[in-house]
Structure formats: structure tokens, C-alpha cells
Amino acid sequence: MDAFKISKSEIPFGSDKEYHVFLSFRGPDVRNTLVGHLYEALTVAGLNVFVDSHKLEKGEIIGLSLERAVENSSIRIPIFSQGYADSAWCLKEAAAILETPSKIIPLFYDVDPTDVRYPLNDSSPYKQAFLRHYGHPDRYQEKEIDGWKHALEEICSHSGWSRDITGG
């Protein structure tokens, strides 16, 4: 995973930040593959990395803990995968990533950046997930879902990593 070599001196962190890096990802897609390698590489470099499975305390309110972790991170790496938009938690994290100024480095894992930027395009693997979210007005307000779409568009305007892991 040489592409993920990052030294502590490259991270623009302030003294008030608890974490150097916050990783946002859809667990079933990448937790035991990419995220494991990335987490190891970053921690070996001496960085304090927030990954929900390692840092959430039992009994904590998940939403508040994630929001606090996003706010208390100097760099945020959303890892967009095929199933990222299926998770309202992931989309909420994406929106929270934009709320506080920090460095954002998107990582596109087996998904095209254009499909993430425009989730309602017919070619986007996110289209069906967004239509499901819109179809549940009892759970999510249209304004909130529109905010998620805006967050994806803005995050995709940042330079990041994109790699087709299918080998095609």
C-alpha cells in the first residue's frame, strides 16, 4: 500500500484536534480490506486515526460520537465504495465532513468519481440508494437528502485517490 505513505509532518493538524485522521466508509464494503491496510499504514506513521470499530466506546451514542470525531479530526478521508450511499450514516458523515474546515482527501474504491458526484445519474451505483432514501419521507427529509447530494458533489471537487480495483 505504498500509495498510502503519509508522514505525520504532512498532516495539517492543530493542537486542539484529538485525531489526525477520520476514516468514513461503508463497513461491509471495505472494513476488512482497504480500511485495514490504510489504518495500519497511518498508525505505523504515528497518526491517531479514528475508525469506528476501534474508537467507539460501548454505551456511547453513535451519532454524537461520530459527529464529535469528525469535528476533532485534522484530515478526513471518505472512502467511497459501491455501497457507501446505502448507508444513511455514511451520507451523514459526508455532510458533517464539510461542516468544519479541514483537509479532505476522497478515496474512490471501485466506484467512479463522476458517479459519486452525480448520484442520480442513470450510470451511478448510488442512484437506487438515493431513490430509497427519498422514498422514506418518514425517516429522512428531502432537504437532508439534498444536503447529502451536495456533500458528495463538494467532496468530489477535492483531489483524491481513484483506483479501479476490479482490474479492468
Side-chain angles (χ1 to χ4, degrees):
M1 293 253 119
D2 290 339
F4 301 125
K5 284 188 178 178
I6 297 175
S7 72
K8 198 171 185 175
S9 64
E10 294 177 276
I11 304 298
F13 62 93
S15 60
D16 62 333
K17 300 294 183 184
E18 182 176 357
Y19 302 103
H20 297 112
V21 179
F22 178 90
L23 298 178
S24 174
F25 59 93
R26 176 78 167 137
D29 292 352
V30 296
R31 180 181 309 279
N32 296 320
T33 55
L34 177 69
V35 169
H37 295 293
L38 182 57
Y39 178 79
E40 182 180 345
L42 293 170
T43 55
V44 165
L47 302 176
N48 188 14
V49 181
F50 183 92
V51 172
D52 59 0
S53 60
H54 292 89
K55 301 291 183 175
L56 284 178
E57 299 291 329
K58 299 298 180 210
E60 283 188 288
I61 298 173
I62 295 171
L64 294 175
S65 297
L66 290 174
E67 185 178 302
R68 188 175 61 245
V70 170
E71 290 173 4
N72 287 308
S73 298
S74 298
I75 187 169
R76 293 131 191 203
I77 302 177
I79 302 170
F80 297 112
S81 58
Q82 292 283 321
Y84 189 92
D86 290 333
S87 169
W89 282 110
C90 288
L91 294 170
K92 288 176 184 183
E93 285 177 9
I97 283 171
L98 290 177
E99 289 179 11
T100 306
S102 71
K103 186 168 183 143
I104 300 170
I105 303 174
L107 198 156
F108 302 92
Y109 184 84
D110 199 24
V111 65
D112 189 274
T114 302
D115 291 335
V116 176
R117 183 185 299 255
Y118 305 109
L120 292 177
N121 281 356
D122 287 337
S123 64
S124 177
Y126 291 9
K127 181 177 181 176
Q128 291 306 313
F130 268 89
L131 292 177
R132 280 191 302 276
H133 296 313
Y134 278 118
H136 289 284
D138 53 320
R139 295 177 71 188
Y140 310 111
Q141 300 294 316
E142 185 173 336
K143 183 178 178 181
E144 180 179 24
I145 300 168
D146 288 344
W148 298 342
K149 284 187 348 189
H150 173 74
L152 296 182
E153 182 178 325
E154 288 298 313
I155 290 171
C156 288
S157 70
H158 293 258
S159 177
W161 291 301
S162 178
R163 184 174 178 137
D164 177 10
I165 57 100
T166 61

